[in-house]
Amino acid sequence: MPARLRLAVALAGALALGVVTSVQTASAHADVVAYLVNVTVRPGYNFADAEAAVHYGQGLCGKLSRGHTYAQLISGIEADFATADEYHAAYLLNQAVNELCPALIWQLRHSAAHY
């Protein structure tokens, strides 16, 4: 199945399941569709479906809101995806925070200041 078709199916599935309305943490200006596009088109994350991708991103937002540091979040992502590619981990974290919980951007930046 072509990548664009898979993405369209994933987005349609996310909308049908109500994933778009389920963002809970700091979601005043959340853009779930942008997050899904950015993390499902880029190779390497291999989420089972759109719901799993959003759930993972929301989990990152939750951890950040509970005080996890940038270093802890990056280490966790690297472990979850069995990679030592820090850029790969940082990209996913940045997409989650920028698109799913933008109110936490300052907190992420602050915790990354001494990384």
Side-chain angles (χ1 to χ4, degrees):
M1 179 182 303
R4 287 186 178 175
L5 181 56
R6 282 194 313 256
L7 176 60
V9 169
L11 292 175
L15 293 171
L17 292 171
V19 172
V20 173
T21 61
S22 71
V23 177
Q24 298 171 354
T25 307
S27 62
H29 301 289
D31 190 345
V32 177
V33 174
Y35 169 77
L36 284 171
V37 168
N38 292 329
V39 302
T40 57
V41 171
R42 189 174 194 280
Y45 301 116
N46 302 320
F47 291 109
D49 55 26
E51 185 175 13
V54 171
H55 181 72
Y56 190 86
Q58 288 174 332
L60 293 174
C61 289
K63 288 177 183 178
L64 180 60
S65 71
R66 291 189 300 276
H68 288 230
T69 66
Y70 180 83
Q72 291 171 321
L73 293 167
I74 291 296
S75 294
I77 294 167
E78 288 175 339
D80 291 345
F81 292 94
T83 184
D85 184 350
E86 194 170 315
Y87 178 79
H88 189 69
Y91 181 85
L92 180 58
L93 177 58
N94 289 328
Q95 289 302 311
V97 175
N98 287 333
E99 303 301 348
L100 299 179
C101 51
L104 297 176
I105 290 172
W106 181 88
Q107 187 171 336
L108 179 66
R109 288 180 181 167
H110 182 70
S111 81
H114 302 291
Y115 182 73

XYZ file of all heavy atoms in Angstrom:
860
model
N 0.858 -1.166 0.000
C 0.000 0.000 0.000
C 0.910 1.236 0.000
O 1.794 1.334 0.829
C -0.889 -0.034 1.251
C -1.811 1.139 1.360
S -2.864 1.204 2.853
C -3.733 -0.324 2.806
N 0.682 2.179 -0.883
C 1.503 3.392 -0.939
C 1.433 4.164 0.382
O 0.425 4.148 1.082
C 0.880 4.207 -2.069
C 0.116 3.222 -2.888
C -0.321 2.154 -1.944
N 2.504 4.863 0.702
C 2.598 5.597 1.965
C 1.474 6.614 2.124
O 0.909 6.758 3.206
C 3.953 6.276 2.072
N 1.150 7.315 1.054
C 0.081 8.328 1.147
C -1.274 7.690 1.452
O -2.065 8.234 2.205
C -0.007 9.135 -0.134
C 1.132 10.099 -0.281
C 0.951 10.977 -1.467
N 2.049 11.926 -1.534
C 2.232 12.754 -2.500
N 1.377 12.783 -3.511
N 3.245 13.583 -2.499
N -1.519 6.527 0.871
C -2.779 5.839 1.135
C -2.818 5.361 2.580
O -3.837 5.489 3.255
C -2.965 4.667 0.168
C -4.264 3.879 0.310
C -5.476 4.804 0.170
C -4.319 2.785 -0.737
N -1.691 4.833 3.078
C -1.629 4.404 4.484
C -1.884 5.581 5.409
O -2.596 5.459 6.398
C -0.262 3.785 4.799
C -0.099 2.376 4.321
C 1.112 1.719 4.963
N 2.296 2.546 4.930
C 3.318 2.383 4.104
N 3.313 1.397 3.241
N 4.351 3.186 4.152
N -1.298 6.732 5.083
C -1.497 7.917 5.903
C -2.962 8.341 5.887
O -3.537 8.648 6.930
C -0.611 9.063 5.412
C -0.793 10.390 6.135
C -0.498 10.244 7.614
C 0.092 11.438 5.514
N -3.571 8.345 4.721
C -4.983 8.724 4.620
C -5.859 7.778 5.432
O -6.774 8.220 6.133
C -5.420 8.736 3.158
N -5.566 6.488 5.373
C -6.330 5.504 6.140
C -6.124 5.745 7.636
O -7.073 5.716 8.416
C -5.922 4.067 5.738
C -6.499 3.049 6.700
C -6.374 3.777 4.316
N -4.873 6.016 8.024
C -4.579 6.265 9.437
C -5.309 7.503 9.941
O -5.883 7.497 11.028
C -3.073 6.409 9.643
N -5.279 8.563 9.156
C -5.958 9.797 9.560
C -7.466 9.610 9.628
O -8.115 10.070 10.564
C -5.599 10.937 8.618
C -4.150 11.408 8.681
C -3.890 12.458 7.612
C -3.805 11.943 10.044
N -8.006 8.913 8.664
C -9.448 8.650 8.676
C -9.818 7.808 9.892
O -10.820 8.060 10.556
C -9.869 7.955 7.384
N -8.981 6.831 10.193
C -9.221 5.995 11.361
C -9.158 6.796 12.641
O -9.973 6.617 13.549
N -8.193 7.693 12.728
C -8.059 8.524 13.920
C -9.295 9.398 14.110
O -9.820 9.522 15.212
C -6.810 9.389 13.830
N -9.754 9.982 13.024
C -10.937 10.826 13.106
C -12.168 10.009 13.472
O -12.981 10.418 14.287
C -11.149 11.575 11.798
C -10.085 12.623 11.475
C -10.267 13.144 10.052
C -10.126 13.749 12.466
N -12.290 8.831 12.881
C -13.440 7.980 13.147
C -13.462 7.507 14.594
O -14.516 7.357 15.198
C -13.429 6.776 12.208
N -12.294 7.275 15.158
C -12.217 6.794 16.533
C -12.332 7.917 17.558
O -12.372 7.677 18.748
C -10.897 6.047 16.754
C -10.765 4.736 16.010
C -9.347 4.202 16.141
C -11.767 3.722 16.546
N -12.342 9.122 17.088
C -12.451 10.242 18.006
C -11.133 10.610 18.656
O -11.092 11.299 19.658
N -10.038 10.127 18.081
C -8.728 10.417 18.645
C -8.479 11.913 18.662
O -7.891 12.440 19.592
C -7.621 9.686 17.848
C -6.247 10.127 18.291
C -7.786 8.193 18.009
N -8.950 12.591 17.660
C -8.708 14.026 17.549
C -9.270 14.772 18.749
O -8.699 15.745 19.202
C -9.285 14.565 16.229
C -9.202 16.069 16.172
C -8.558 13.950 15.052
N -10.346 14.289 19.313
C -10.942 14.981 20.445
C -10.456 14.449 21.781
O -10.857 14.942 22.820
C -12.485 14.857 20.390
O -12.839 13.478 20.449
C -13.027 15.510 19.155
N -9.570 13.449 21.769
C -9.173 12.842 23.034
C -7.887 13.394 23.616
O -7.436 12.927 24.633
C -9.036 11.329 22.861
O -7.900 11.033 22.073
N -7.288 14.394 23.002
C -6.074 14.980 23.566
C -6.456 15.644 24.873
O -7.334 16.488 24.914
C -5.442 15.992 22.586
C -4.233 16.656 23.217
C -5.051 15.284 21.306
N -5.779 15.246 25.953
C -6.206 15.700 27.263
C -5.250 16.702 27.897
O -5.667 17.538 28.681
C -6.343 14.498 28.196
C -7.392 13.535 27.722
C -7.384 12.243 28.499
O -6.533 12.008 29.328
N -8.335 11.391 28.214
N -3.971 16.625 27.641
C -2.998 17.444 28.337
C -2.683 18.703 27.554
O -2.139 18.636 26.475
C -1.706 16.638 28.554
O -2.029 15.412 29.194
C -0.714 17.408 29.384
N -3.012 19.844 28.122
C -2.656 21.146 27.540
C -3.024 21.225 26.068
O -2.206 21.505 25.216
C -1.165 21.412 27.731
N -4.274 21.002 25.759
C -4.672 20.858 24.367
C -5.367 22.075 23.774
O -6.087 21.956 22.806
C -5.578 19.641 24.224
O -6.752 19.819 24.981
N -5.158 23.239 24.312
C -5.863 24.417 23.824
C -5.702 24.626 22.328
O -6.645 24.992 21.650
C -5.386 25.652 24.578
N -4.517 24.382 21.805
C -4.277 24.578 20.387
C -3.635 23.347 19.769
O -2.803 23.457 18.871
C -3.393 25.812 20.161
C -3.994 27.063 20.714
N -5.092 27.671 20.167
C -3.676 27.795 21.795
C -5.415 28.742 20.882
N -4.565 28.835 21.882
N -3.997 22.190 20.258
C -3.406 20.949 19.775
C -3.788 20.706 18.320
O -4.877 21.051 17.881
C -3.862 19.779 20.632
N -2.863 20.132 17.577
C -3.100 19.794 16.175
C -2.722 18.332 15.959
O -1.604 18.015 15.564
C -2.285 20.707 15.263
C -2.662 20.559 13.806
O -3.337 19.569 13.444
O -2.288 21.438 13.019
N -3.654 17.449 16.268
C -3.409 16.015 16.202
C -3.094 15.576 14.780
O -2.232 14.726 14.558
C -4.610 15.228 16.775
C -4.400 13.732 16.637
C -4.832 15.598 18.229
N -3.771 16.153 13.814
C -3.544 15.755 12.426
C -2.107 16.081 12.008
O -1.428 15.256 11.400
C -4.571 16.406 11.476
C -4.233 16.108 10.025
C -5.982 15.919 11.807
N -1.622 17.265 12.356
C -0.231 17.622 12.027
C 0.732 16.661 12.696
O 1.709 16.212 12.089
C 0.067 19.050 12.443
N 0.481 16.317 13.948
C 1.332 15.356 14.661
C 1.343 14.014 13.928
O 2.406 13.432 13.673
C 0.836 15.180 16.104
C 1.472 14.024 16.829
C 2.769 14.126 17.338
C 0.799 12.825 17.011
C 3.356 13.067 18.007
C 1.375 11.762 17.672
C 2.662 11.896 18.172
O 3.245 10.829 18.831
N 0.166 13.531 13.573
C 0.083 12.236 12.884
C 0.814 12.256 11.547
O 1.522 11.311 11.211
C -1.376 11.831 12.682
C -2.088 11.315 13.920
C -3.575 11.151 13.642
C -1.475 10.019 14.398
N 0.644 13.312 10.806
C 1.338 13.415 9.519
C 2.847 13.365 9.748
O 3.569 12.622 9.084
C 0.941 14.701 8.762
C 1.870 14.959 7.591
C -0.501 14.611 8.289
N 3.331 14.121 10.697
C 4.769 14.220 10.924
C 5.398 12.953 11.490
O 6.560 12.682 11.210
C 5.082 15.412 11.812
C 4.806 16.718 11.118
O 4.929 16.826 9.910
N 4.417 17.723 11.874
N 4.673 12.189 12.288
C 5.296 10.992 12.873
C 4.939 9.702 12.143
O 5.565 8.683 12.391
C 5.012 10.845 14.385
C 5.492 12.056 15.151
C 3.558 10.541 14.668
N 3.966 9.743 11.247
C 3.663 8.523 10.500
C 4.314 8.517 9.125
O 4.557 7.454 8.572
C 2.139 8.280 10.360
O 1.543 9.406 9.729
C 1.498 8.040 11.714
N 4.604 9.686 8.579
C 5.271 9.753 7.281
C 6.770 9.514 7.454
O 7.399 8.848 6.651
C 5.004 11.108 6.590
C 5.853 11.273 5.353
C 3.534 11.219 6.236
N 7.341 10.032 8.516
C 8.779 9.861 8.768
C 9.040 8.406 9.164
O 8.401 7.870 10.059
C 9.219 10.788 9.898
C 10.723 10.822 10.078
C 11.096 11.871 11.122
N 12.503 12.163 11.107
C 13.421 11.407 11.688
N 13.080 10.293 12.287
N 14.694 11.755 11.638
N 9.975 7.752 8.520
C 10.236 6.344 8.832
C 10.898 6.160 10.197
O 11.557 7.060 10.706
C 11.180 5.906 7.715
C 11.805 7.151 7.223
C 10.808 8.252 7.447
N 10.668 4.998 10.784
C 11.386 4.628 11.992
C 10.553 4.457 13.238
O 10.973 3.790 14.162
N 9.367 5.050 13.286
C 8.580 4.918 14.506
C 7.682 3.691 14.463
O 7.478 3.040 15.473
C 7.774 6.188 14.782
C 8.660 7.400 14.931
C 8.581 8.453 14.039
C 9.613 7.460 15.938
C 9.409 9.562 14.167
C 10.450 8.557 16.062
C 10.340 9.598 15.164
O 11.166 10.685 15.282
N 7.132 3.381 13.323
C 6.358 2.159 13.122
C 5.249 1.943 14.152
O 5.118 0.875 14.726
C 7.285 0.939 13.083
C 8.317 1.054 11.998
O 8.018 1.518 10.902
N 9.541 0.659 12.292
N 4.456 2.976 14.380
C 3.310 2.823 15.265
C 2.309 1.870 14.616
O 2.154 1.856 13.396
C 2.645 4.174 15.521
C 3.490 5.104 16.348
C 4.076 6.222 15.775
C 3.684 4.872 17.698
C 4.850 7.085 16.531
C 4.457 5.730 18.468
C 5.037 6.833 17.879
N 1.617 1.101 15.428
C 0.644 0.127 14.917
C -0.476 0.823 14.142
O -0.944 0.314 13.127
C 0.064 -0.693 16.058
N -0.900 1.967 14.626
C -1.956 2.728 13.964
C -1.941 4.162 14.497
O -1.120 4.505 15.352
C -3.332 2.076 14.174
C -3.702 1.857 15.637
O -3.202 2.605 16.510
O -4.490 0.937 15.909
N -2.842 4.966 14.001
C -2.882 6.379 14.400
C -3.183 6.527 15.881
O -2.606 7.392 16.557
C -3.928 7.116 13.566
N -4.048 5.692 16.390
C -4.397 5.764 17.805
C -3.173 5.496 18.681
O -2.942 6.189 19.676
C -5.513 4.773 18.128
C -6.010 4.884 19.551
C -7.200 3.973 19.816
O -7.496 3.097 19.000
O -7.820 4.157 20.874
N -2.359 4.523 18.311
C -1.137 4.218 19.066
C -0.158 5.387 19.016
O 0.487 5.716 20.016
C -0.490 2.945 18.526
N -0.049 6.023 17.866
C 0.854 7.168 17.721
C 0.409 8.320 18.611
O 1.229 8.924 19.307
C 0.910 7.616 16.261
N -0.877 8.620 18.611
C -1.396 9.712 19.432
C -1.254 9.362 20.913
O -0.849 10.200 21.719
C -2.855 10.049 19.070
C -3.460 11.034 20.064
C -2.927 10.604 17.661
N -1.547 8.132 21.260
C -1.426 7.700 22.654
C 0.016 7.870 23.138
O 0.251 8.350 24.253
C -1.892 6.252 22.799
C -1.826 5.745 24.194
N -2.690 6.150 25.175
C -0.975 4.874 24.779
C -2.378 5.558 26.306
N -1.334 4.776 26.098
N 0.974 7.496 22.308
C 2.379 7.636 22.683
C 2.738 9.117 22.877
O 3.374 9.487 23.860
C 3.296 7.002 21.629
C 4.724 6.913 22.110
C 5.147 5.826 22.871
C 5.639 7.923 21.839
C 6.448 5.755 23.350
C 6.935 7.862 22.309
C 7.339 6.780 23.064
O 8.621 6.711 23.546
N 2.323 9.954 21.945
C 2.593 11.386 22.066
C 1.947 11.996 23.295
O 2.552 12.809 23.996
N 0.727 11.589 23.586
C 0.052 12.073 24.783
C 0.789 11.620 26.035
O 0.862 12.356 27.024
C -1.392 11.569 24.831
C -2.289 12.225 23.824
C -3.671 11.592 23.797
O -3.827 10.408 24.103
N -4.650 12.371 23.405
N 1.343 10.421 25.975
C 2.131 9.927 27.106
C 3.358 10.791 27.347
O 3.715 11.080 28.498
N 4.004 11.207 26.261
C 5.153 12.109 26.402
C 4.725 13.425 27.036
O 5.409 13.956 27.917
C 5.813 12.352 25.047
C 6.505 11.150 24.409
C 6.978 11.497 23.000
C 7.658 10.655 25.272
N 3.596 13.950 26.602
C 3.079 15.196 27.176
C 2.779 15.011 28.670
O 3.101 15.893 29.482
C 1.815 15.627 26.447
S 2.092 16.218 24.767
N 2.197 13.893 29.012
C 1.889 13.614 30.407
C 3.143 13.534 31.266
O 3.195 14.085 32.374
N 4.153 12.855 30.753
C 5.414 12.747 31.498
C 6.042 14.119 31.684
O 6.532 14.441 32.775
C 6.382 11.818 30.768
C 5.983 10.364 30.845
C 6.938 9.493 30.036
C 6.490 8.042 30.056
N 7.387 7.209 29.228
N 6.034 14.928 30.643
C 6.601 16.267 30.734
C 5.831 17.097 31.762
O 6.427 17.782 32.595
C 6.588 16.960 29.368
C 7.157 18.373 29.321
C 8.618 18.402 29.757
C 7.007 18.936 27.910
N 4.522 17.005 31.746
C 3.709 17.779 32.685
C 3.915 17.315 34.129
O 3.708 18.089 35.061
C 2.225 17.729 32.313
O 1.696 16.449 32.571
N 4.348 16.066 34.308
C 4.629 15.543 35.651
C 6.068 15.798 36.093
O 6.483 15.333 37.142
C 4.303 14.055 35.718
C 2.810 13.753 35.629
C 2.491 12.294 35.910
N 3.132 11.371 34.994
C 2.675 11.018 33.794
N 1.538 11.551 33.357
N 3.313 10.159 33.039
N 6.842 16.519 35.272
C 8.169 16.911 35.683
C 9.329 16.118 35.133
O 10.473 16.350 35.517
N 9.070 15.193 34.212
C 10.186 14.480 33.594
C 11.025 15.473 32.800
O 10.501 16.383 32.171
C 9.674 13.377 32.652
C 9.093 12.213 33.373
N 9.449 10.927 33.107
C 8.168 12.136 34.360
C 8.769 10.109 33.884
N 7.982 10.820 34.655
N 12.323 15.276 32.846
C 13.223 16.199 32.149
C 13.387 15.787 30.692
O 13.062 14.663 30.300
C 14.608 16.209 32.808
O 15.212 14.926 32.632
C 14.523 16.574 34.279
N 13.948 16.702 29.927
C 14.249 16.435 28.520
C 15.114 15.183 28.401
O 14.833 14.304 27.591
C 14.953 17.652 27.916
C 15.324 17.492 26.470
C 14.395 17.730 25.467
C 16.614 17.117 26.098
C 14.732 17.599 24.129
C 16.964 16.981 24.763
C 16.021 17.219 23.786
O 16.355 17.085 22.464
N 16.150 15.099 29.222
C 17.060 13.939 29.170
C 16.321 12.642 29.470
O 16.548 11.623 28.798
C 18.212 14.130 30.155
N 15.438 12.653 30.447
C 14.669 11.451 30.774
C 13.749 11.056 29.621
O 13.624 9.870 29.295
C 13.840 11.683 32.037
C 14.655 11.798 33.289
C 13.812 12.248 34.475
O 12.923 13.107 34.336
N 14.093 11.687 35.648
N 13.108 12.033 29.018
C 12.194 11.751 27.917
C 12.949 11.203 26.706
O 12.513 10.219 26.091
C 11.410 13.013 27.545
C 10.434 13.499 28.618
C 9.948 14.900 28.307
C 9.271 12.538 28.768
N 14.086 11.803 26.376
C 14.884 11.329 25.241
C 15.356 9.895 25.496
O 15.258 9.036 24.617
C 16.081 12.276 24.969
C 15.590 13.624 24.443
C 17.080 11.642 24.002
C 14.880 13.579 23.100
N 15.851 9.632 26.689
C 16.308 8.273 27.028
C 15.173 7.266 26.906
O 15.372 6.156 26.413
C 16.877 8.238 28.446
O 18.046 8.997 28.528
N 13.994 7.658 27.362
C 12.837 6.765 27.273
C 12.439 6.466 25.833
O 12.134 5.324 25.482
N 12.462 7.475 24.994
C 12.121 7.288 23.583
C 13.151 6.395 22.918
O 12.810 5.471 22.174
C 12.007 8.639 22.848
C 10.835 9.455 23.388
C 11.861 8.422 21.338
C 10.836 10.910 22.958
N 14.428 6.643 23.189
C 15.487 5.809 22.607
C 15.307 4.350 23.020
O 15.467 3.445 22.195
C 16.866 6.324 23.029
C 17.240 7.622 22.360
C 18.547 8.208 22.860
O 18.992 7.862 23.977
O 19.131 9.022 22.123
N 14.937 4.118 24.270
C 14.701 2.744 24.742
C 13.467 2.140 24.076
O 13.499 0.987 23.625
C 14.548 2.736 26.258
N 12.390 2.915 23.991
C 11.145 2.407 23.402
C 11.303 2.028 21.936
O 10.660 1.095 21.455
C 10.030 3.452 23.529
C 9.566 3.658 24.964
O 9.887 2.820 25.831
O 8.891 4.685 25.209
N 12.142 2.759 21.208
C 12.298 2.515 19.781
C 13.627 1.851 19.439
O 13.986 1.744 18.270
C 12.110 3.818 18.982
C 10.687 4.305 19.035
C 10.296 5.230 19.993
C 9.736 3.808 18.167
C 8.978 5.655 20.070
C 8.417 4.226 18.233
C 8.043 5.156 19.194
N 14.329 1.393 20.470
C 15.596 0.671 20.300
C 16.530 1.396 19.328
O 16.976 0.839 18.335
C 15.342 -0.763 19.852
N 16.794 2.651 19.653
C 17.671 3.457 18.812
C 18.607 4.283 19.682
O 18.260 4.625 20.813
C 16.872 4.396 17.881
O 17.785 5.084 17.032
C 16.040 5.398 18.640
N 19.754 4.571 19.157
C 20.686 5.484 19.815
C 20.717 6.813 19.065
O 21.523 7.679 19.365
C 22.077 4.865 19.871
N 19.829 6.954 18.096
C 19.760 8.167 17.276
C 19.024 9.248 18.054
O 17.794 9.270 18.117
C 19.056 7.851 15.965
C 19.011 9.030 15.007
O 19.358 10.165 15.410
O 18.640 8.811 13.840
N 19.779 10.145 18.646
C 19.194 11.189 19.467
C 18.300 12.121 18.653
O 17.271 12.599 19.137
C 20.304 11.980 20.154
C 19.805 12.859 21.259
C 20.935 13.444 22.069
O 21.866 12.713 22.425
O 20.871 14.653 22.329
N 18.672 12.389 17.414
C 17.832 13.241 16.567
C 16.461 12.599 16.353
O 15.438 13.272 16.395
C 18.505 13.511 15.218
C 17.625 14.348 14.315
C 17.539 15.726 14.490
C 16.838 13.752 13.327
C 16.709 16.498 13.696
C 16.001 14.525 12.532
C 15.940 15.892 12.718
O 15.103 16.644 11.945
N 16.453 11.310 16.147
C 15.209 10.555 15.937
C 14.298 10.700 17.160
O 13.091 10.937 17.027
C 15.570 9.088 15.675
C 14.453 8.229 15.239
N 13.850 8.354 14.015
C 13.849 7.191 15.855
C 12.907 7.440 13.908
N 12.887 6.727 15.009
N 14.886 10.564 18.335
C 14.122 10.692 19.573
C 13.662 12.136 19.784
O 12.502 12.383 20.142
C 14.970 10.221 20.755
N 14.554 13.085 19.551
C 14.216 14.492 19.747
C 13.115 14.939 18.787
O 12.237 15.730 19.157
C 15.458 15.361 19.574
N 13.140 14.427 17.557
C 12.115 14.785 16.576
C 10.728 14.370 17.081
O 9.778 15.155 17.045
C 12.413 14.117 15.236
C 11.413 14.468 14.164
C 11.556 15.622 13.411
C 10.319 13.650 13.906
C 10.632 15.959 12.425
C 9.393 13.971 12.934
C 9.554 15.126 12.193
O 8.632 15.450 11.238
N 10.626 13.139 17.577
C 9.341 12.647 18.072
C 8.879 13.464 19.277
O 7.713 13.868 19.356
C 9.437 11.164 18.429
C 8.166 10.517 18.965
C 7.012 10.643 17.980
C 8.427 9.055 19.289
N 9.773 13.730 20.194
C 9.422 14.523 21.373
C 8.972 15.923 20.966
O 7.951 16.425 21.449
C 10.611 14.597 22.332
C 10.419 15.446 23.585
C 9.231 14.963 24.406
C 11.694 15.440 24.410
N 9.712 16.553 20.077
C 9.350 17.896 19.639
C 8.007 17.918 18.922
O 7.204 18.839 19.112
C 10.444 18.485 18.762
C 11.673 18.839 19.554
O 11.585 19.216 20.715
N 12.837 18.711 18.940
N 7.746 16.919 18.098
C 6.455 16.863 17.412
C 5.322 16.712 18.424
O 4.289 17.374 18.306
C 6.419 15.707 16.405
C 7.276 15.929 15.192
C 6.897 17.192 14.450
O 5.735 17.440 14.164
N 7.892 18.006 14.146
N 5.507 15.839 19.409
C 4.464 15.627 20.416
C 4.178 16.916 21.170
O 3.012 17.323 21.310
C 4.881 14.516 21.384
N 5.216 17.573 21.642
C 5.007 18.786 22.438
C 4.470 19.922 21.575
O 3.501 20.589 21.952
C 6.304 19.199 23.173
C 6.118 20.529 23.894
C 6.699 18.111 24.166
N 5.053 20.134 20.411
C 4.601 21.232 19.548
C 3.171 21.062 19.079
O 2.430 22.046 18.977
C 5.519 21.383 18.342
C 6.850 21.982 18.698
O 6.974 22.717 19.657
N 7.862 21.645 17.921
N 2.769 19.842 18.779
C 1.438 19.631 18.186
C 0.375 19.150 19.170
O -0.801 19.435 18.980
C 1.539 18.626 17.024
C 2.508 19.029 15.934
C 2.197 20.357 15.257
O 1.107 20.925 15.441
O 3.083 20.833 14.522
N 0.753 18.416 20.209
C -0.258 17.859 21.117
C -0.393 18.639 22.420
O -1.465 18.657 23.012
C 0.070 16.394 21.438
C 0.105 15.447 20.243
C 0.472 14.036 20.691
C -1.225 15.443 19.506
N 0.683 19.248 22.875
C 0.610 19.989 24.140
C 1.478 21.245 24.076
O 2.441 21.382 24.822
C 1.007 19.105 25.314
S 2.586 18.234 25.131
N 1.139 22.165 23.175
C 1.979 23.348 22.975
C 2.121 24.219 24.220
O 3.095 24.965 24.327
C 1.288 24.100 21.836
C -0.102 23.569 21.806
C -0.028 22.165 22.299
N 1.230 24.109 25.164
C 1.362 24.889 26.400
C 2.585 24.450 27.205
O 3.032 25.179 28.088
C 0.097 24.751 27.248
N 3.144 23.289 26.885
C 4.300 22.772 27.613
C 5.629 23.047 26.903
O 6.676 22.582 27.360
C 4.152 21.262 27.840
C 2.960 20.843 28.702
C 2.864 19.318 28.765
C 3.061 21.439 30.085
N 5.604 23.791 25.818
C 6.838 24.066 25.067
C 7.866 24.735 25.961
O 9.032 24.346 25.978
C 6.554 24.920 23.812
C 5.781 24.087 22.788
C 7.862 25.435 23.209
C 5.284 24.891 21.594
N 7.466 25.732 26.734
C 8.410 26.426 27.591
C 9.023 25.461 28.600
O 10.225 25.484 28.858
C 7.738 27.582 28.329
C 8.734 28.300 29.200
C 9.538 29.334 28.828
C 9.065 28.009 30.552
N 10.340 29.706 29.883
C 10.072 28.901 30.949
C 8.606 27.074 31.472
C 10.630 28.894 32.218
C 9.167 27.059 32.742
C 10.171 27.976 33.100
N 8.202 24.599 29.175
C 8.701 23.626 30.159
C 9.734 22.694 29.523
O 10.762 22.395 30.127
C 7.531 22.832 30.736
C 7.921 21.926 31.877
C 6.699 21.323 32.548
O 5.598 21.864 32.484
N 6.910 20.208 33.204
N 9.475 22.243 28.303
C 10.435 21.377 27.612
C 11.736 22.134 27.351
O 12.824 21.621 27.616
C 9.853 20.860 26.300
C 10.777 19.965 25.486
C 11.052 18.663 26.234
C 10.170 19.679 24.117
N 11.631 23.345 26.862
C 12.826 24.148 26.592
C 13.626 24.391 27.867
O 14.851 24.320 27.871
C 12.448 25.477 25.947
C 12.000 25.330 24.530
C 11.635 26.654 23.929
N 11.181 26.464 22.562
C 10.562 27.387 21.858
N 10.327 28.575 22.387
N 10.165 27.134 20.633
N 12.926 24.685 28.931
C 13.595 24.931 30.204
C 14.329 23.678 30.689
O 15.466 23.765 31.151
C 12.570 25.389 31.252
C 13.158 25.701 32.576
N 13.953 26.790 32.790
C 13.086 25.035 33.746
C 14.347 26.807 34.048
N 13.832 25.749 34.653
N 13.705 22.521 30.570
C 14.358 21.298 31.042
C 15.499 20.864 30.135
O 16.379 20.106 30.550
C 13.340 20.157 31.204
O 13.058 19.529 29.980
N 15.507 21.346 28.892
C 16.580 20.996 27.953
C 17.744 21.974 28.010
O 18.777 21.739 27.391
C 16.024 20.944 26.535
N 17.605 23.038 28.765
C 18.609 24.102 28.771
C 19.999 23.625 29.136
O 20.987 24.117 28.599
C 18.178 25.212 29.719
N 20.127 22.669 29.995
C 21.432 22.201 30.440
C 21.750 20.801 29.916
O 22.607 20.118 30.444
C 21.513 22.231 31.962
C 21.257 23.589 32.511
N 22.132 24.642 32.353
C 20.184 24.098 33.186
C 21.627 25.708 32.912
N 20.449 25.426 33.417
N 21.064 20.389 28.892
C 21.239 19.035 28.340
C 22.525 18.939 27.568
O 22.904 19.756 26.813
C 20.036 18.676 27.464
C 20.107 17.294 26.896
C 19.908 16.190 27.710
C 20.389 17.081 25.550
C 19.959 14.909 27.205
C 20.453 15.790 25.031
C 20.244 14.712 25.868
O 20.308 13.443 25.355
